[in-house]
Amino acid sequence: MRGVVFDGKRVEVVDDLEVRDPGAGEVQVAISAAGLCHSDLSVVDGTIPFPVPVVLGHEGAGVVEAVGVGVTHVAPGDHVALSTLANCGTCAECDRGRPTMCRRAIGRPGQPFTRDGRPLYQFAANSAFAERTVVKAVQAVRIPKDIPLPSAALIGCGVLTGVGAVLNRAKVDRGDSVLVIGTGGIGLNVIQGARIAGALRIVAVDANPAKEKVARSFGATDFLTSTERVRDILPTGADHAFECVGRVELIRQAVDLLDRHGQAVLLGVPPATAEASFLVSSMYLDKSILGCRYGSSRPQRDIALYAGLYREGRLLLDELVTQTYPVEEFERAAADAEAGKVARGVITF
């Protein structure tokens, strides 16, 4: 079968991958579509360290082909969106409703794929850039069959992360002011999450002026090409500032542009050893800096919620899909993503 493999030096679209059958508590999914997220590219450029060789992809949707022993919530033929959260469901963090903090779900990549008899790692417990993948049952969430799979694919990372950061982590409230730095796939979902939450002012900042139209269509009330004029719009600062780029100087700006009792939420991914600074004295105005893993999501609940919001016309998914690419055109899709030409490019099989 076809898939996108990174061997530590180069990315290659191959046609000789194999994946094992699902075991107990697992699901095999035929992938129809998968979003190309910057996290995949960050593995390739080394920003996210990951063992190789690895099958890339982590934002996918498809059709269940087979289920292992004990799986009852999905069945062959069901349409599913996949999460990257292979949480155990039994530890203290899972029991407290915080599956993103499950220690068994982080840093333990499996190897369900083989090529020429050699095992390959699975990226983010998912590897959606393959015609078929095997995931833990908890990662497969049934969705209505009337949701287009290229759109549904984006729920599993970009929507869970961006909208989840607003609703679950920051808990943006009606009438709040929100600053969003970076309007790529994650930033657009932060914007629409803030709109859904009832934020009164949503200020989007992106160096590319061509992104204004789409940012406003997702809910931005204002658009700037730098943070210099944010105080003209929000004189006392923002209640919430989301950094969606992953640059330490922008993290500092997010903190500096907070109002009293404001919170900066970090969503961008800088290099693993990056350090950021801030004025300690400013924090005594009850400001907070919040990390956020995967939108603090509970995927079995949240994916179903977002699917429902989409069907009601309140959550935009189709509009996130700038362009689709057959898997053989992965290199072009990656170049377009790096150049900022797409909100989300989607790989199709």
Side-chain angles (χ1 to χ4, degrees):
M1 68 179 185
R2 294 168 296 167
V4 180
V5 175
F6 176 56
D7 65 4
K9 297 181 179 179
R10 68 189 185 102
V11 178
E12 182 181 6
V13 179
V14 305
D15 61 5
D16 56 353
L17 276 181
E18 295 183 5
V19 66
R20 63 172 174 77
D21 293 334
E26 293 181 331
V27 177
Q28 185 180 84
V29 178
I31 299 294
S32 295
L36 175 54
C37 175
H38 278 280
S39 294
D40 299 299
L41 302 178
S42 293
V43 173
V44 177
D45 67 22
T47 301
I48 296 179
F50 205 87
V52 294
V54 57
V55 180
L56 296 174
H58 65 286
E59 187 180 63
V63 180
V64 174
E65 283 202 332
V67 300
V69 174
V71 177
T72 59
H73 74 291
V74 294
D78 284 344
H79 286 201
V80 292
L82 301 182
S83 87
T84 67
L85 197 57
N87 61 296
C88 70
T90 60
C91 69
E93 297 295 347
C94 288
D95 192 51
R96 294 168 69 183
R98 302 196 304 197
T100 57
M101 294 296 103
C102 175
R103 287 176 172 80
R104 301 183 192 180
I106 303 173
R108 300 184 182 187
Q111 293 178 301
F113 300 97
T114 56
R115 186 183 180 209
D116 294 329
R118 295 180 55 209
L120 291 86
Y121 286 100
Q122 184 174 39
F123 179 52
N126 192 308
S127 289
F129 292 161
E131 287 188 80
R132 293 178 185 81
T133 191
V134 171
V135 298
K136 290 185 66 172
V138 71
Q139 296 176 253
V141 184
R142 188 170 61 243
I143 57 173
K145 291 184 178 181
D146 60 356
I147 300 180
L149 289 171
S151 299
L154 304 186
I155 300 177
C157 178
V159 175
L160 279 178
T161 299
V163 178
V166 173
L167 302 182
N168 300 328
R169 187 66 168 125
K171 300 186 186 301
V172 172
D173 202 357
R174 295 180 300 277
D176 284 353
S177 60
V178 173
L179 170 64
V180 183
I181 302 176
T183 61
I186 299 300
L188 289 176
N189 280 299
V190 171
I191 289 171
Q192 70 171 334
R195 170 178 52 77
I196 291 168
L200 184 62
R201 209 72 185 261
I202 305 170
V203 182
V205 177
D206 198 291
N208 184 354
K211 293 186 176 183
E212 178 173 1
K213 183 177 180 180
V214 68
R216 288 187 181 277
S217 72
F218 274 73
T221 59
D222 304 89
F223 183 91
L224 301 171
T225 55
S226 77
T227 58
E228 292 179 4
R229 292 185 48 240
V230 170
R231 290 281 183 180
D232 293 341
I233 300 170
L234 302 174
T236 62
D239 295 314
H240 312 272
F242 295 83
E243 201 283 337
C244 306
V245 180
R247 289 168 46 188
V248 294
E249 67 272 22
L250 296 179
I251 292 173
R252 172 60 183 268
Q253 291 172 29
V255 174
D256 288 346
L257 288 167
L258 291 175
D259 196 356
R260 298 184 179 193
H261 200 66
Q263 49 188 12
V265 184
L266 310 187
L267 296 177
V269 183
T273 57
E275 297 182 0
S277 65
F278 59 90
L279 289 175
V280 175
S281 59
S282 72
M283 305 308 289
Y284 297 114
L285 293 173
D286 280 3
K287 297 182 182 181
S288 304
I289 301 173
L290 305 180
C292 185
R293 172 174 164 77
Y294 204 39
S296 300
S297 298
R298 286 180 276 176
Q300 285 288 339
R301 178 200 68 169
D302 290 351
I303 289 176
L305 168 63
Y306 300 151
L309 290 172
Y310 167 80
R311 297 176 86 197
E312 292 176 2
R314 298 172 62 192
L315 182 82
L316 305 182
L317 292 179
D318 304 337
E319 295 81 357
L320 284 169
V321 183
T322 310
Q323 188 166 343
T324 60
Y325 307 81
V327 68
E328 291 80 9
E329 295 183 12
F330 177 82
E331 186 174 340
R332 182 166 73 92
D336 286 351
E338 291 278 23
K341 293 181 179 180
V342 293
R344 254 316 188 257
V346 175
I347 304 297
T348 59
F349 289 93

